[in-house]
Amino acid sequence: MNKNTKQDRELFRKTKRQAIERDGNCCVICGKYGCDVHHIVFRSQGGKSTLDNLVCLCRECHNTKAHGAKAKEYRKMLQRYISDGKRPDVACKGE
């Protein structure tokens, strides 16, 4: 493991909880309970574990939308959420 990877993993341990708290434990796409933290710009594409690159998603949205056929469209929507500070028009629906 190189130094940058190790530093990013250490950073992710800190920022993961902050992203979940910021997003109120809710998926920012559908509003369901969310416990997966998604990198908007993937680590493999140079994305870091900074709070402005992380969002809370439910497992279903993480697997089917953030990594699905329309992932690029969702990435743009998630980047707008982070930059504007406006949550998409969803209400948290619990579990």
Side-chain angles (χ1 to χ4, degrees):
M1 176 179 340
N2 69 39
K3 182 179 177 181
N4 291 334
T5 302
K6 184 177 179 181
Q7 288 175 338
D8 192 64
R9 286 185 182 182
E10 290 172 6
L11 178 61
F12 185 60
R13 282 189 206 105
K14 297 174 187 174
T15 53
K16 178 179 181 177
R17 173 60 35 204
Q18 293 172 338
I20 291 170
E21 288 174 3
R22 178 197 61 210
D23 299 335
N25 272 38
C26 294
C27 176
V28 299
I29 295 175
C30 73
K32 291 180 184 173
Y33 173 78
C35 62
D36 285 2
V37 175
H38 173 67
H39 287 79
I40 299 169
V41 177
F42 303 143
R43 286 175 168 169
S44 62
Q45 296 174 344
K48 302 293 181 198
S49 293
T50 55
L51 193 54
D52 64 348
N53 191 43
L54 300 174
V55 290
C56 186
L57 300 177
C58 69
R59 180 72 35 98
E60 182 179 349
C61 286
H62 195 195
N63 292 335
T64 62
K65 295 177 180 159
H67 294 285
K70 295 184 178 184
K72 287 183 181 180
E73 293 174 36
Y74 281 101
R75 179 179 298 159
K76 288 178 186 175
M77 184 268 298
L78 295 171
Q79 287 172 325
R80 280 193 306 271
Y81 163 65
I82 293 297
S83 66
D84 297 346
K86 289 186 175 180
R87 175 184 209 98
D89 191 22
V90 296
C92 192
K93 299 173 185 168
E95 273 191 76

